[in-house]
Amino acid sequence: MKKLSVPDETIRRLPKYLRTLLSMKEQKREFVSSNQIAEFTYINPAQIRKDFSYFGAFGTRGTGYEVEHLIKMVKEILKLDSKPKAVLIGAGRIGTAIASYTGFGRYGIEIVAIYDNCPDKIGKKAGDITIKNRSNLSEIKRKNIKLAIIATPPQEAQSITDTLVKAGVTGILNLAPCYLNVPDNVRIRTIDLAMELGMLPYYT
Amino acid sequence: MKKLSVPDETIRRLPKYLRTLLSMKEQKREFVSSNQIAEFTYINPAQIRKDFSYFGAFGTRGTGYEVEHLIKMVKEILKLDSKPKAVLIGAGRIGTAIASYTGFGRYGIEIVAIYDNCPDKIGKKAGDITIKNRSNLSEIKRKNIKLAIIATPPQEAQSITDTLVKAGVTGILNLAPCYLNVPDNVRIRTIDLAMELGMLPYYT
DNA sequence: TCCTGTGAACTTGTTCACAGCT
DNA sequence: AGCTGTGAACAAGTTCACAGGA
């Protein structure tokens, strides 16, 4: 797996393929061609073939890709086959909405804990998970958790990030509208919904 | 405004600049250089200057950009100065979380209505807005609304999209984990949180 | 024949480096 | 001196077009 030469954009597309492949598997489809994946994803078929080819030759000429096998390979590439665990910080409206969301399971990711610093919330449930005191955050080191979702006000996000990084987290999905400073080995994906909505009027 | 030659990536960065500039304005800063914006956004200063230069020469050599003026220009470019209105479809957990979120106001966008098809929810409030029956969706044409946020289960997203497009919506922020088919004049931005989280383990 | 895998061409986006204004 | 604005060089990503296996 020649990680260094794989374009970042390819990695970003892999979960898209996975989503499509999983829905094809549900429909009991056994084989799929790059053209058929393209129909669903609006991604150019040559791009799709090239993306997969960075990791080996998974297809069969004349037939396409075996759905089940391709799902297995994509999960393996994305390291989703090891069932990664994630924690969620912030049990506000967005945090609790995410806690109740079942969509992460499709990618093999499980949210195993929620932390907040508001005394009234601690001990209550969000989804199926009990909200813990944020002062316990460092326990995630012991549990070897590498993923976190930040759903707190932006003022708190940086100091939480520092704690998470110290506890060994290397991937953060940040929903707070702010930039986060992290060492090179930590990957941040910030999603600011207002910002995303803010670029749409331009195109009208 | 030579819209056709402006890279898409530039448009995507403009809201980032805006967020940064607004926080600088709050701190009563009058002038800012591309290097200073770069410090906050982690975007290359030459990139920042080039991005602005697509729309004219807003800066002063030797001094930088006047914060207030630059904010005005960016808002104008993004068409945020006309205070665009948006509707929200889906009053589930994510929908109501978004309804209560005040962050859109910063970009001059106001959420003016929420629609759902669940009888128990209709008439109740989410944030400050009363939830309406989804059968009224077509009224947004009369109100000349161009933006929508979809926060429904994915099965319903395409038919809602069709209704929205018919009603004249041209920008959609889609939070349902699915692709949406729309005519060329409509811009879709799909955000699938599970997918975003799903690419992070690769980098660990 | 059908569809993959891939070098080569092309397109898009980024960064450099510096002329020129304040 | 300091910082913008921008052509030119560079880098990254996409698409084409086709050889070759099933």
Side-chain angles (χ1 to χ4, degrees):
Chain A
M1 207 190 291
K2 33 183 174 157
K3 185 161 177 172
L4 278 170
S5 60
V6 178
D8 259 14
E9 294 300 314
T10 293
I11 304 304
R12 167 149 308 151
R13 281 187 292 267
L14 289 178
K16 296 196 193 184
Y17 299 143
L18 186 52
R19 190 173 73 185
T20 306
L21 291 166
L22 288 169
S23 91
M24 284 174 169
K25 186 186 165 188
E26 267 173 37
Q27 289 155 40
K28 310 279 183 215
R29 185 194 275 269
E30 263 195 274
F31 289 90
V32 67
S33 71
S34 57
N35 275 285
Q36 289 161 342
I37 299 175
E39 257 175 62
F40 283 87
T41 58
Y42 302 98
I43 296 167
N44 179 298
Q47 181 77 81
I48 295 170
R49 294 198 298 277
K50 180 153 284 191
D51 282 343
F52 292 141
S53 79
Y54 285 115
F55 305 99
F58 303 151
T60 311
R61 287 164 199 225
T63 316
Y65 300 90
E66 201 203 324
V67 173
E68 192 105 26
H69 181 241
L70 194 52
I71 288 173
K72 192 166 163 285
M73 294 317 294
V74 174
K75 281 192 171 173
E76 209 172 297
I77 294 162
L78 289 174
K79 300 190 193 161
L80 295 172
D81 54 339
S82 63
K83 303 254 171 194
K85 294 183 169 73
V87 296
L88 176 63
I89 298 98
R93 270 180 288 253
I94 297 180
T96 49
I98 288 173
S100 317
Y101 180 53
T102 56
F104 301 104
R106 194 162 37 172
Y107 296 93
I109 297 172
E110 191 195 355
I111 295 179
V112 295
I114 308 172
Y115 298 88
D116 203 293
N117 59 357
C118 170
D120 335 337
K121 286 177 186 164
I122 293 161
K124 294 210 174 118
K125 290 241 172 186
D128 289 337
I129 314 153
T130 304
I131 299 166
K132 296 193 207 178
N133 193 318
R134 215 161 76 193
S135 60
N136 301 325
L137 239 190
S138 54
E139 74 187 13
I140 67 175
K141 184 164 203 163
R142 196 162 30 79
K143 296 185 178 172
N144 200 33
I145 289 165
K146 299 294 178 197
L147 295 176
I149 305 172
I150 295 181
T152 65
Q155 308 86 271
E156 305 168 16
Q158 183 65 59
S159 80
I160 288 167
T161 300
D162 297 341
T163 310
L164 289 169
V165 169
K166 235 177 267 169
V169 164
T170 53
I172 296 176
L173 181 62
N174 173 35
L175 299 168
C178 61
Y179 291 93
L180 297 176
N181 208 275
V182 287
D184 281 353
N185 64 316
V186 178
R187 192 91 187 179
I188 297 269
R189 180 90 180 103
T190 295
I191 298 203
D192 179 340
L193 288 181
M195 224 166 70
E196 301 290 347
L197 190 62
M199 52 171 283
L200 289 175
Y202 174 81
Y203 295 99
T204 56
Chain B
M1 202 191 291
K2 34 180 174 156
K3 184 163 178 170
L4 278 170
S5 61
V6 178
D8 260 14
E9 294 301 313
T10 293
I11 303 306
R12 168 148 308 152
R13 280 186 293 266
L14 289 178
K16 295 196 194 185
Y17 299 142
L18 186 53
R19 190 173 74 185
T20 305
L21 291 166
L22 287 169
S23 92
M24 284 174 167
K25 186 187 166 189
E26 266 172 39
Q27 289 155 40
K28 309 277 185 219
R29 183 194 277 269
E30 264 195 273
F31 289 90
V32 68
S33 71
S34 57
N35 275 284
Q36 289 161 342
I37 299 176
E39 257 175 62
F40 283 87
T41 58
Y42 303 98
I43 295 166
N44 179 298
Q47 181 78 81
I48 295 170
R49 294 198 299 279
K50 180 153 283 193
D51 281 343
F52 292 141
S53 79
Y54 286 115
F55 304 98
F58 304 150
T60 312
R61 287 162 200 230
T63 316
Y65 301 88
E66 200 203 325
V67 174
E68 192 105 28
H69 181 240
L70 195 51
I71 289 174
K72 192 165 162 286
M73 294 317 292
V74 174
K75 280 192 172 175
E76 210 171 296
I77 294 162
L78 288 174
K79 301 191 193 162
L80 295 171
D81 54 339
S82 63
K83 302 255 171 195
K85 294 183 169 75
V87 296
L88 176 64
I89 297 98
R93 270 181 287 252
I94 297 180
T96 48
I98 288 173
S100 319
Y101 180 54
T102 56
F104 300 105
R106 192 162 41 171
Y107 295 93
I109 297 173
E110 190 195 353
I111 295 179
V112 294
I114 308 172
Y115 298 89
D116 203 294
N117 59 358
C118 169
D120 333 337
K121 287 177 186 163
I122 294 162
K124 295 209 173 118
K125 290 240 173 187
D128 289 335
I129 315 155
T130 305
I131 299 166
K132 295 195 209 177
N133 192 317
R134 214 161 76 193
S135 59
N136 300 325
L137 240 190
S138 54
E139 74 187 13
I140 67 174
K141 184 165 204 164
R142 197 163 28 79
K143 297 185 178 171
N144 200 33
I145 289 165
K146 299 294 178 198
L147 294 176
I149 305 172
I150 294 181
T152 65
Q155 308 85 275
E156 303 167 18
Q158 184 63 59
S159 80
I160 288 166
T161 301
D162 297 342
T163 309
L164 289 169
V165 169
K166 235 177 266 168
V169 164
T170 53
I172 295 175
L173 181 61
N174 173 35
L175 300 168
C178 60
Y179 291 95
L180 297 175
N181 207 275
V182 286
D184 280 353
N185 64 315
V186 178
R187 193 91 185 179
I188 297 270
R189 180 89 180 104
T190 295
I191 297 202
D192 179 341
L193 288 182
M195 224 165 69
E196 302 289 346
L197 190 63
M199 51 171 282
L200 290 176
Y202 174 81
Y203 296 98
T204 57

